[in-house]
Amino acid sequence: GQLLPRFRAAVLLLVGLRGSRGRLQADELLVDDGSATNIASGNNLYVNATIGLTTSNNQLNVLNAGTLVSASGQFSVGAGGSSNSMFISNDGSVSAGTLTISAGPGTNSVVVSSGSLQVAGTLNVGPAGKGTLQVQGGLVTAGNLVATNWGNGSFLIKSVILLSGGALSAGGATFINGLAFFFGDENG
């Protein structure tokens, strides 16, 4: 059988390893110890992945060409806590069945500076907090892109999608906020 790539044990929680024709697959990637984790090589396959389940200031860096982090089910950046982020650079790749940025309250982000982010289903930005998707380069594709604002009347948290380079492609898009949708600089 194959061995899983090496990670810092405090950052990766492997829940229910299972064999599949002599190979091991981790059911879940969990980055939840308040630090940065770098994945810089190999095919890293999971059922689900979460950055920031209960804590803040968690970061996943997907680096280098030929590096893949894949969650066939749900990928969440900021399920709880705040200041959780994922960076895709140096031609790294991330794929997910669905991706949610700020599933819980707080400010959380995904930045693609080069490489690719592929979401087969819905890429949901900010359903319960301030979610930011920043595309500086590379390619982001999604079956459906949903950007929402969270809050009530006097208290509104805006989701942000910044496209300053690269490409963003979605099979469909929904913006649930009653405001104009702008591409480009957040300050412009």
Side-chain angles (χ1 to χ4, degrees):
Q2 294 179 331
L3 297 177
L4 292 172
R6 293 183 184 196
F7 296 97
R8 294 182 305 155
V11 177
L12 179 66
L13 173 65
L14 302 177
V15 181
L17 288 177
R18 65 175 183 249
S20 172
R21 296 185 184 165
R23 297 185 330 170
L24 294 177
Q25 177 179 355
D27 284 343
E28 185 162 355
L29 168 66
L30 177 63
V31 180
D32 201 40
D33 72 341
S35 68
T37 299
N38 297 320
I39 299 179
S41 65
N43 291 325
N44 304 276
L45 309 176
Y46 305 94
V47 175
N48 296 303
T50 304
I51 303 165
L53 179 63
T54 60
T55 63
S56 296
N57 302 308
N58 299 288
Q59 181 176 315
L60 176 64
N61 299 309
V62 180
L63 310 166
N64 301 332
T67 302
L68 170 66
V69 174
S70 177
S72 58
Q74 171 65 36
F75 202 126
S76 181
V77 178
S82 190
S83 300
N84 298 295
S85 57
M86 176 170 61
F87 293 91
I88 303 169
S89 62
N90 300 326
D91 295 322
S93 296
V94 172
S95 69
T98 61
L99 172 64
T100 304
I101 305 169
S102 286
T107 300
N108 302 284
S109 63
V110 171
V111 178
V112 181
S113 65
S114 69
S116 66
L117 170 62
Q118 299 174 331
V119 181
T122 299
L123 193 168
N124 195 342
V125 182
K130 182 179 181 180
T132 300
L133 171 63
Q134 185 172 2
V135 184
Q136 300 171 340
L139 174 63
V140 175
T141 60
N144 190 35
L145 175 63
V146 177
T148 60
N149 285 340
W150 180 83
N152 58 30
S154 62
F155 179 70
L156 185 64
I157 298 174
K158 298 178 183 178
S159 297
V160 177
I161 298 175
L162 297 171
L163 182 59
S164 59
L168 172 63
S169 174
T174 305
F175 303 100
I176 307 168
N177 59 19
L179 302 172
F181 180 77
F182 296 97
F183 281 95
D185 190 311
E186 178 180 21
N187 299 317

